[in-house]
Amino acid sequence: MSSKVQTQQRILDAAQSLFAESGFNDTSLRQITTKAEVNLASVNYHFGSKKELIQAVLQRYLQVLMPRLDQEFDRLLASQKPNDLTQILSVFVKPLLDLNQLQRRGTRTFLQLLGRGYTDVQGHLRWFINHHYGRTLDKFVLLVQQSCPHLPQSEVFWRLHFSLGSIVFTMASSDALAEIAQADFNEAVDIEGVIRRLIPYLGAAIAAPVYSQDLKTVA
Amino acid sequence: MSSKVQTQQRILDAAQSLFAESGFNDTSLRQITTKAEVNLASVNYHFGSKKELIQAVLQRYLQVLMPRLDQEFDRLLASQKPNDLTQILSVFVKPLLDLNQLQRRGTRTFLQLLGRGYTDVQGHLRWFINHHYGRTLDKFVLLVQQSCPHLPQSEVFWRLHFSLGSIVFTMASSDALAEIAQADFNEAVDIEGVIRRLIPYLGAAIAAPVYSQDLKTVA
DNA sequence: GTACATTTCAAACAGGTGTTTAAAAGTATG
DNA sequence: CATACTTTTAAACACCTGTTTGAAATGTAC
């Protein structure tokens, strides 16, 4: 009995770090099972397929993170007046950083995985997250819309995807970026530093005024 | 003689559309040569390897785009007073849209390829672009720094990478996003629309004030 | 302690990958 | 025309991928 969960755990642990480092496509089951020191076939035995393993790896974080975010969103939605955008974005910080208690380097790993999830794979992870946590995400969108009454819904849609791009891309390549920052600016940056840098950036971006289109008609 | 360039052209054309659609890793040489109606071996014969084919596909656009951007950057740098950030970002618009004269759907394809280039592959395309066009990119960074004297260099570095993330991610998934926008908001969005939406967003983001750091003492 | 169920294991499977080979076809040049 | 060079072709190469198989080992319950 305990050997079963041990094997599953070993696979998940090995998989998550390899996935975070090299992406889903570029990590083979053989690499995972070698690192986990389990038999190749055990991935399919315990998880069914590689696709389901990927989902299981992300699920381990999402099932902790998302209920906490959902709770925070409810709290903000309960207040009468619209919330400040920076405030809304800041509610992500603590739940994200608390993932470090779930796993060593949990925050970093999860965000890297999320990045990989949106860039590597075409559809199935996007669908998976939306299917399981769409309700929570909708609350977030609503909050942002309330805080930006000057923006049409479609503009909020685009800007949130622009923002998702920043996050996901930054996290997928956070190792490389941190290295450059270290070399060029002698600046030690951890994942918390990146998150905190993102908040004012995204806050200003999402709330930016929409410029009228007619003054920039180019030839 | 002309059959040689014809074959190379056919390969490049087929490769670019498949790469843009499915990414580099998920497009095989057999798919490319089938679509191009050439022999499988001709890719290696004419380009050496898949890696070099990828670079050749991007190079076809970069060698047109980058000199034009370089020129625009020089023009802005020549002016005495610092330039407005929105102005700086706007110089991308025309050179990018002119790629449509190079190829049908050129702008869209190029930006998708760029997105794939930064998300799919780990290193070699990043290196390739920096190696060939680093001087031009440096001019852009300088312009941004001049327009944002309140920002430390390292902050500009991070924010430009956040911005790169928005662009690259949006472009890599632009088809999916445009579909959603169409369905949810009955909004037809072409690539030019996306570019124009990005400018005020990125302008506000990059120039955003830096919030005081002292509240971020880590545990 | 036997019977049953779960888990592990080595091996093979079927299919895909980028690349190389050596002969064939085509094309210029003397 | 014959020579030399370039390009195309079909086939094979060596390797890697996720998945399946059936037997062996282990664990669990009566």
Side-chain angles (χ1 to χ4, degrees):
Chain A
M1 182 66 191
S2 86
S3 84
K4 168 180 173 177
V5 327
Q6 206 180 57
T7 300
Q8 291 182 335
Q9 212 76 18
R10 295 171 70 85
I11 293 173
L12 287 172
D13 288 343
Q16 76 169 1
S17 74
L18 288 171
F19 283 154
E21 205 173 318
S22 319
F24 300 114
N25 293 334
D26 292 343
T27 301
S28 70
L29 293 184
R30 282 166 180 81
Q31 289 176 269
I32 295 170
T33 52
T34 300
K35 174 160 189 167
E37 294 178 298
V38 300
N39 188 272
L40 168 63
S42 53
V43 169
N44 293 281
Y45 177 75
H46 285 289
F47 296 95
S49 66
K50 184 180 181 182
K51 198 192 251 181
E52 288 165 282
L53 171 63
I54 293 173
Q55 293 175 357
V57 165
L58 262 153
Q59 182 68 339
R60 208 160 43 148
Y61 288 98
L62 287 171
Q63 72 190 57
V64 172
L65 177 70
M66 293 308 275
R68 295 204 49 182
L69 288 180
D70 194 84
Q71 198 177 326
E72 297 285 338
F73 294 154
D74 280 339
R75 192 173 54 75
L76 289 180
L77 282 171
S79 75
Q80 293 298 20
K81 49 180 186 281
N83 297 275
D84 177 56
L85 192 47
T86 306
Q87 262 182 306
I88 299 173
L89 295 176
S90 296
V91 307
F92 283 90
V93 178
K94 194 167 181 324
L96 277 176
L97 292 180
D98 283 351
L99 295 180
N100 280 326
Q101 296 174 344
L102 196 71
Q103 297 263 325
R104 210 176 78 84
R105 305 259 231 170
T107 306
R108 209 182 73 124
T109 305
F110 168 71
L111 287 173
Q112 287 184 337
L113 289 171
L114 194 71
R116 300 294 184 184
Y118 273 90
T119 55
D120 277 25
V121 203
Q122 311 81 339
H124 87 265
L125 260 178
R126 226 187 185 105
W127 180 91
F128 176 81
I129 292 175
N130 241 311
H131 179 75
H132 285 278
Y133 304 106
R135 304 284 282 273
T136 299
L137 297 176
D138 287 345
K139 291 179 187 174
F140 172 64
V141 174
L142 184 60
L143 278 167
V144 173
Q145 276 169 347
Q146 285 179 355
S147 83
C148 301
H150 62 293
L151 294 179
Q153 279 196 22
S154 69
E155 193 66 38
V156 171
F157 162 82
W158 281 102
R159 291 184 174 189
L160 286 181
H161 274 93
F162 296 160
S163 304
L164 182 61
S166 294
I167 298 165
V168 144
F169 175 81
T170 302
M171 295 310 164
S173 42
S174 63
D175 290 347
L177 294 180
E179 256 179 51
I180 299 172
Q182 178 69 263
D184 288 11
F185 310 110
N186 195 33
E187 210 185 62
V189 187
D190 56 358
I191 207 75
E192 178 171 358
V194 178
I195 295 173
R196 295 211 180 276
R197 266 174 210 276
L198 268 166
I199 290 178
Y201 173 92
L202 294 178
I206 296 170
V210 186
Y211 291 138
S212 70
Q213 302 278 359
D214 48 355
L215 56 87
K216 44 183 195 338
T217 42
V218 189
Chain B
M1 182 65 190
S2 86
S3 84
K4 167 180 171 176
V5 327
Q6 207 181 59
T7 301
Q8 291 182 336
Q9 212 76 19
R10 295 173 70 83
I11 292 173
L12 287 172
D13 288 343
Q16 77 170 0
S17 74
L18 288 171
F19 282 155
E21 205 174 317
S22 319
F24 301 114
N25 293 334
D26 292 342
T27 301
S28 70
L29 293 183
R30 283 167 180 80
Q31 289 177 267
I32 294 169
T33 52
T34 299
K35 174 159 189 167
E37 293 178 298
V38 300
N39 187 272
L40 168 63
S42 52
V43 170
N44 293 281
Y45 177 75
H46 285 289
F47 297 95
S49 66
K50 183 180 182 182
K51 197 191 251 181
E52 288 164 283
L53 171 63
I54 293 173
Q55 293 175 357
V57 165
L58 262 153
Q59 182 68 341
R60 207 157 48 145
Y61 288 98
L62 288 171
Q63 72 191 45
V64 172
L65 177 71
M66 293 309 274
R68 296 203 49 183
L69 287 180
D70 194 85
Q71 199 177 326
E72 297 284 340
F73 293 155
D74 280 338
R75 192 173 54 74
L76 289 181
L77 282 171
S79 76
Q80 293 298 22
K81 50 181 186 284
N83 296 275
D84 177 57
L85 191 48
T86 306
Q87 262 182 305
I88 300 172
L89 296 177
S90 296
V91 308
F92 283 89
V93 178
K94 195 168 180 321
L96 278 176
L97 291 180
D98 283 351
L99 294 181
N100 280 327
Q101 296 174 343
L102 195 72
Q103 298 265 324
R104 210 176 78 84
R105 304 262 231 169
T107 306
R108 209 183 72 124
T109 306
F110 168 71
L111 286 172
Q112 287 183 336
L113 289 171
L114 194 71
R116 299 295 185 183
Y118 274 91
T119 55
D120 277 25
V121 203
Q122 311 82 339
H124 87 266
L125 260 178
R126 222 185 187 109
W127 180 92
F128 177 81
I129 292 175
N130 241 309
H131 178 77
H132 286 279
Y133 303 106
R135 303 284 282 272
T136 299
L137 298 176
D138 286 345
K139 291 179 187 174
F140 173 64
V141 174
L142 184 59
L143 278 167
V144 173
Q145 276 170 347
Q146 285 179 356
S147 84
C148 301
H150 62 292
L151 294 179
Q153 279 197 22
S154 68
E155 193 67 36
V156 171
F157 162 82
W158 281 102
R159 291 184 175 189
L160 286 181
H161 274 93
F162 295 161
S163 303
L164 182 62
S166 294
I167 298 164
V168 144
F169 175 82
T170 303
M171 295 309 164
S173 42
S174 63
D175 290 346
L177 293 180
E179 256 179 52
I180 299 172
Q182 179 70 261
D184 288 11
F185 310 109
N186 195 33
E187 210 185 63
V189 187
D190 56 357
I191 207 74
E192 179 173 357
V194 177
I195 294 174
R196 294 205 181 280
R197 267 175 209 273
L198 267 166
I199 289 178
Y201 173 93
L202 294 179
I206 294 170
V210 187
Y211 290 140
S212 71
Q213 300 280 358
D214 49 355
L215 51 92
K216 77 165 231 240
T217 42
V218 192

